């Protein structure tokens, strides 16, 4: 039962290790976008601090979205995605495995690098911990929802831009909750509610989105 | 036997729809004009000014119906899309595609009138009010649906793919709405909302309902007309299309 | 499982809005080979994708035994193997890795020995450790064939398997196909070359 999923996970991680630049580009994008914000709005530490939760979350969200285009497109181009439809295993589980691998390669590094950027924007230690926690819960949601968009734009011209239009409105809830959690800590309030809702959203996305993504893959390969 | 049934369904259902819609559209169009005229007369002339907002409140006669239609049409579109995807019924696919532009138009009008209303009420055109923000995200969902439909060349695949998107969207609409609402109350304390109309006089309520009906009639007429055109395109090789086009009866 | 028939009933396919073929019926029994022929653009690839359950036909149904091909118990892939125009190889992985991973995806235990001897029999000895990126078109095709032949499936669907292969390899493939038929398996194949295969062969001409 799990052998095929493990084989797929290992394959995707091996491929990512052989081409580490793909994952590093995403992290690089995240770092550069955050670095550009102070240039646009001024260096005042207190002001930057108050904007930090939103800036970090929007940057992370854009980074995830940029990386999504490659989630299925390589497999689509060389025909391995087609072969995956013929694997005697529910396509939803295969898709979920691919999303998990993708999150390990792109989402997790964003979580790990975020404290560095948070320090640049003058967040305090407890806020940084909350930021990492919120990103840890939130980036999988971004990958799970985004996978639907990645599947729906397979083989289309200008797929990358189209993904943005399809997916970004759906990113509003995790953005609100994730940035809100950090904001709450900043204002001395409890972020319990934010985290609970983010967690609930992740569980829901975990169960619901892989099937939508699988349906989309089948349609686009029909 | 069953095979013949399917053939019958395939080739005459669109033709029947095409003819029936052609006969109905003028009636809905006439109703639209009559109801709009009545609603606007009642709303702009008969209904009294609001004791707080004066005459500027009158924009709710446009704003509220458009906002309702924008939301409702998205749900309707998703339902048609789901029917088309699951049971492979072509008419439902055609309807889903035909609804999208009208829904987007209404959503856009709701935002536009909301902004116009904001100016005299709060002195700014745009506030990040929960409902306006939700409507803005809804407009993006419509645009995404239409963009995806347009980006895929193969008609069947376009219908199926955008149906998945519509279904994902309709699950998300309440989540988006509640999270935006929550965000709004957290950030602004007691929230200001656009459509919290002051206690309504009877005449205001009646006028509002007439305008809502007018928006309905307009939607039906326009969606049916668009569905007919879409059907002609899809079935351009079918005999019923040839017959109707040669007869000059469009 | 081995004695199931593979049937197509009243199939039709469309591309764009054009009918490629319709009212297509055939039955394939264990040990039989079906060769699909026809000019370019007559729908050979579309037919093969429909037969393998990847595409939905505009009308009709494909059956594996009594089950529709999309809802075979254990998944479509448990009864058939498909080789399309694309080789479905990862350029950054070696030939051996590609085959082992594909086997793992199919649920098989990794068997290095079998992989290496299959690659050797297709003339790829010495190329196992090279990323597929560095192989020629013909060599990639051979890796893809090795992957397919290593998966024991009751039905193989091959789209132009001889393309880009040299004569010796075609011979190897021919004998592999014959051995496959002798084991009471079935094959559906499209090809431009005429390769005489010893066995129960049928022809289907499209268009």
């Amino acid at each position: 039962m799990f052998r095929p999923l493990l084989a797929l996970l290992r394959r995707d991680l091996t491929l990512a290790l052989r081409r580490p630049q793909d994952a590093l580009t995403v992290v690089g994008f995240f770092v550069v976008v955050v670095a550009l914000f102070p240039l646009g709005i001024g260096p005042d530490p207190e002001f930057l601090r108050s904007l930090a939760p939103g800036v970090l979350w929007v940057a992370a969200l854009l980074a995830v979205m940029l990386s999504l285009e490659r989630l299925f497109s390589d497999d689509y181009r060389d025909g391995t995605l087609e072969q995956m439809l013929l694997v005697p295993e529910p396509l939803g589980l295969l898709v979920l495995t691919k999303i998990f691998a993708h999150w390990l390669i792109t989402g997790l590094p964003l979580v790990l690098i975020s404290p560095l950027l948070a320090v640049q924007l003058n967040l305090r230690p407890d806020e940084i911990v909350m930021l990492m926690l919120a990103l840890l819960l939130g980036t999988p949601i971004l990958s799970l929802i985004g996978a639907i968009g990645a599947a729906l734009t397979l083989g289309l011209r200008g797929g990358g831009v189209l993904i943005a239009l399809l997916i970004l409105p759906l990113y509003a809830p995790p953005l609100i909750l994730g940035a809100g959690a950090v904001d709450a800590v900043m204002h001395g309030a409890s972020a319990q509610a934010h985290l609970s809702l983010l967690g609930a959203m992740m569980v829901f996305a975990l169960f619901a989105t892989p099937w939508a993504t699988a349906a989309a893959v089948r349609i686009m390969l029909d | 036997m069953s095979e013949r049934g399917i053939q019958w369904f395939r080739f005459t259902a669109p033709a029947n729809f095409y003819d029936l819609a052609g006969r109905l559209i003028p009636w809905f169009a006439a109703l639209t004009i009559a109801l709009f005229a009545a609603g606007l007369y009642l709303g702009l002339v008969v209904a009294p000014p609001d004791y707080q907002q004066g005459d500027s409140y009158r924009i709710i006669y446009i704003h509220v119906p458009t906002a309702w239609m924008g939301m409702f049409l998205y749900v309707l579109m998703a339902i048609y899309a789901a029917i088309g995807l699951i049971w492979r019924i072509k008419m439902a696919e055609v309807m889903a595609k035909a609804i999208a532009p009208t829904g987007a138009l209404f959503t856009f009008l709701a935002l536009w009138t909301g902004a116009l209303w904001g100016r005299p009420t709060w002195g700014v055109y745009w506030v990040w009010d929960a409902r306006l923000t939700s409507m803005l995200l809804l407009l993006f969902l419509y645009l995404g649906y239409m963009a995806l439909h347009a980006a895929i060349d193969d008609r069947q695949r376009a219908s199926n793919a955008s149906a998945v998107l519509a279904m994902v969207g309709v699950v998300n609409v309440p989540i988006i709405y509640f999270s935006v609402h929550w965000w709004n109350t957290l950030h602004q304390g007691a929230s200001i909302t656009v459509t919290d109309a002051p206690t309504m006089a009877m005449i205001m309520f009646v006028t509002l309902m007439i305008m809502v009906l007018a928006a309905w009639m307009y939607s039906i007429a326009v969606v049916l007309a668009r569905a007919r055109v879409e059907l002609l395109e899809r079935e351009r090789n079918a005999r019923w299309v040839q017959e109707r086009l040669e007869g000059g009866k469009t | 499982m081995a004695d199931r028939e593979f049937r197509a009933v009243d199939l039709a396919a469309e591309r764009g809005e054009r009918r490629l073929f319709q009212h297509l019926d055939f039955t394939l029994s264990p040990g039989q080979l079906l060769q699909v022929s026809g000019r370019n653009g007559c729908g050979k690839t579309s037919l093969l994708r429909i037969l393998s359950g990847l595409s939905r036909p505009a009308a009709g149904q494909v059956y594996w035994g009594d089950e529709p091909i999309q809802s075979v118990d254990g998944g479509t892939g448990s009864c058939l193997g498909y080789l399309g125009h694309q080789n479905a190889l990862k350029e950054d992985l070696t030939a051996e890795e590609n085959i082992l991973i594909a086997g793992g995806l199919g649920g098989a235990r990794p068997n290095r020995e079998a992989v290496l001897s299959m690659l050797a029999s297709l003339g790829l000895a010495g190329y196992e450790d090279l990323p597929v990126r560095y192989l020629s078109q013909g060599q990639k095709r051979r890796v893809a064939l090795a992957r397919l032949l290593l998966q024991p499936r009751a039905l193989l669907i091959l789209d132009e398997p001889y393309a880009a292969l040299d004569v010796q390899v075609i011979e190897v493939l021919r004998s592999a196909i014959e051995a496959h038929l002798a084991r009471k398996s079935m094959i559906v194949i499209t090809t431009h070359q005429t390769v005489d295969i010893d066995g129960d062969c049928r022809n289907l001409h499209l268009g």
Side-chain angles (χ1 to χ4, degrees):
Chain A
M1 166 86 189
F2 290 109
R3 192 195 305 278
L5 302 183
L6 279 176
L8 181 58
L9 183 63
R10 268 188 52 192
R11 188 202 78 158
D12 277 12
L13 294 181
T14 311
L15 284 171
L17 285 178
R18 301 235 167 127
R19 281 187 185 273
Q21 60 269 37
D22 287 353
L24 291 176
T25 315
V26 176
V27 176
F29 175 84
F30 183 44
V31 173
V32 171
V33 167
V34 173
L36 282 179
F37 263 90
L39 299 180
I41 58 185
D44 174 36
E46 267 316 299
F47 188 48
L48 281 178
R49 203 174 102 78
S50 67
L51 289 182
V55 168
L56 288 167
W57 258 88
V58 169
L61 182 151
L62 291 176
V64 170
M65 197 201 70
L66 266 187
S67 72
L68 279 169
E69 201 191 342
R70 313 214 35 181
L71 176 55
F72 296 117
S73 64
D74 286 349
D75 287 355
Y76 175 76
R77 226 172 290 127
D78 60 27
T80 42
L81 192 59
E82 192 171 74
Q83 289 292 334
M84 251 175 251
L85 298 191
L86 293 172
V87 167
E89 191 78 13
L91 186 58
L93 285 181
L94 293 172
V95 161
L96 185 59
T97 307
K98 274 194 75 64
I99 296 171
F100 178 58
H102 181 261
W103 178 79
L104 285 179
I105 298 158
T106 58
L108 192 58
L110 295 183
V111 178
L112 296 178
I113 195 92
S114 63
L116 204 64
L117 306 179
V119 168
Q120 285 191 309
L121 296 179
N122 304 306
L123 286 188
R124 281 196 271 275
D126 56 333
E127 295 156 3
I128 293 179
V129 170
M130 181 51 68
L131 174 74
M132 289 185 76
L133 212 57
L135 280 174
L136 201 61
L137 283 172
T139 44
I141 305 178
L142 300 181
S143 293
L144 284 163
I145 298 177
I148 303 174
L152 285 174
T153 51
L154 275 176
L156 301 183
R157 271 166 284 123
V161 185
L162 195 54
I163 290 184
L165 187 58
L166 304 187
I167 288 309
L168 287 182
L170 304 179
Y171 276 178
L175 171 66
I176 288 170
L177 294 170
V182 187
D183 215 50
V185 172
M186 196 181 275
H187 292 95
S190 160
Q192 186 77 46
H194 295 82
L195 290 184
S196 310
L197 285 171
L198 260 185
M201 208 177 274
M202 187 169 96
V203 172
F204 179 65
L206 209 53
F207 283 99
T209 60
W211 307 107
T213 308
V217 168
R218 275 192 200 286
I219 288 166
M220 296 313 280
L221 265 68
D222 191 344
Chain B
M1 188 64 201
S2 68
E3 202 173 295
R4 281 186 60 197
I6 291 165
Q7 294 288 319
W8 180 87
F9 184 77
R10 267 182 78 93
F11 293 114
T12 60
N16 286 342
F17 172 87
Y18 182 85
D19 293 341
L20 183 66
R23 278 198 296 277
L24 288 179
I25 287 169
W27 292 98
F28 283 113
L31 274 172
T32 306
I33 294 169
L35 285 167
F36 261 128
L40 286 178
Y41 176 74
L42 286 175
L44 296 180
V45 180
V46 179
D50 181 68
Y51 71 101
Q52 274 182 326
Q53 299 187 20
D55 279 329
S56 70
Y57 91 96
R58 290 181 198 275
I59 204 161
I60 65 163
Y61 297 129
I62 305 286
H63 178 74
V64 172
T66 52
W68 284 0
M69 283 315 288
M71 289 188 277
F72 183 78
L73 285 178
Y74 193 87
V75 177
L76 196 65
M77 178 182 88
I79 291 173
Y80 271 122
I83 292 173
L85 180 65
I86 296 168
W87 287 288
R88 304 187 87 189
I89 296 174
K90 276 193 183 166
M91 278 314 306
E93 292 169 1
V94 168
M95 285 301 283
K97 191 190 175 194
I99 286 172
T102 303
L105 175 72
F106 275 121
T107 309
F108 177 74
L109 285 177
L111 287 169
W112 183 274
T113 52
L116 286 182
W117 196 4
R119 180 70 181 152
T121 317
W122 305 303
V124 284
Y125 281 110
W126 183 266
V127 285
W128 289 92
D129 153 81
R131 291 182 208 202
L132 278 182
T133 311
S134 308
M135 287 307 274
L136 185 63
L137 290 171
L138 184 66
L139 180 63
F140 293 153
L141 289 181
Y142 271 119
L143 294 181
Y145 177 89
M146 290 192 287
L148 183 63
H149 218 302
I152 306 176
D153 295 327
D154 183 85
R155 265 176 219 279
Q156 191 58 52
R157 190 180 298 168
S159 291
N160 292 346
S162 45
V164 170
L165 186 68
M167 287 157 73
V168 170
V170 87
V171 172
N172 266 280
V173 162
I175 301 178
I176 289 175
Y177 182 80
F178 284 117
S179 56
V180 168
H181 208 79
W182 197 53
W183 159 78
N184 194 249
T185 48
L186 279 184
H187 284 265
Q188 298 196 341
S191 69
I192 33 169
T193 47
V194 172
T195 43
D196 263 357
T199 41
M200 253 189 219
M202 192 59 190
I203 179 71
M204 293 181 183
F205 181 76
V206 169
T207 311
L208 190 56
M209 288 305 119
I210 290 176
M211 289 302 282
V212 169
L213 264 182
W216 264 103
M217 295 305 125
Y218 168 82
S219 304
I220 295 173
V222 171
V223 168
L224 285 182
R226 204 177 284 120
R228 284 181 100 214
V229 175
E230 174 72 15
L231 259 189
L232 282 187
E233 274 183 33
R234 281 196 183 216
E235 307 255 317
R236 62 175 172 271
N237 295 325
R239 192 183 301 147
W240 69 265
V241 174
Q242 314 288 344
E243 282 168 5
R244 277 159 185 75
L245 291 183
E246 275 161 23
K249 199 177 103 183
T250 44
Chain C
M1 164 146 172
D3 53 355
R4 290 204 201 180
E5 289 184 331
F6 181 60
R7 285 185 301 139
V9 179
D10 197 28
L11 282 189
E14 286 172 356
R15 189 185 304 131
E17 258 115 86
R18 210 167 58 82
R19 273 276 148 130
L20 292 169
F21 52 79
Q22 53 191 351
H23 305 308
L24 188 124
D25 297 88
F26 70 79
T27 302
L28 208 58
S29 307
Q32 287 185 328
L33 176 143
L34 181 73
Q35 175 155 355
V36 183
S37 57
R39 63 197 152 65
N40 283 333
C42 67
K44 287 182 301 232
T45 295
S46 300
L47 174 63
L48 259 52
R49 288 180 58 87
I50 289 171
L51 293 181
S52 55
L54 288 170
S55 301
R56 287 216 263 184
Q61 182 60 272
V62 180
Y63 293 97
W64 176 249
D66 297 324
E67 295 168 301
I69 193 77
Q70 299 91 350
S71 49
V72 173
D73 202 25
T76 309
S78 63
C79 61
L80 64 83
Y82 170 77
L83 178 66
H85 284 288
Q86 291 163 313
N87 292 323
L89 299 173
K90 282 289 164 197
E91 301 258 294
D92 288 336
L93 300 178
T94 68
E96 186 193 332
E97 285 171 327
N98 263 300
I99 296 176
L100 283 176
I101 286 170
L105 270 171
R109 270 172 206 289
N111 183 350
R112 242 185 122 234
E113 297 303 308
V115 172
L116 293 180
S117 69
M118 175 61 81
L119 283 175
S121 77
L122 286 169
L124 285 170
Y127 291 94
E128 303 94 343
D129 294 338
L130 224 56
V132 167
R133 182 164 10 114
Y134 298 117
L135 300 184
S136 73
Q137 279 307 319
Q139 288 171 321
K140 287 178 189 171
R141 197 68 179 161
R142 279 186 257 169
V143 177
L145 281 167
R147 182 191 64 217
L148 194 74
L149 294 173
L150 277 166
Q151 296 180 347
R153 297 284 185 263
L155 169 66
L156 293 183
I157 296 182
L158 310 171
D159 200 353
E160 299 288 347
Y162 304 125
L165 294 185
D166 24 334
V167 187
Q168 298 95 315
V169 185
I170 290 182
E171 267 315 296
V172 175
L173 179 58
R174 190 178 65 90
S175 55
I177 287 175
E178 284 169 358
H180 199 72
L181 293 176
R183 284 197 302 271
K184 291 289 166 205
S185 298
M186 297 174 245
I187 292 176
V188 179
I189 196 169
T190 64
T191 173
H192 281 105
Q193 282 113 315
T194 39
V195 177
D196 287 322
I197 285 166
D198 204 15
D200 189 355
C201 299
R202 322 237 144 164
N203 253 306
L204 178 70
H205 190 79
L206 285 182

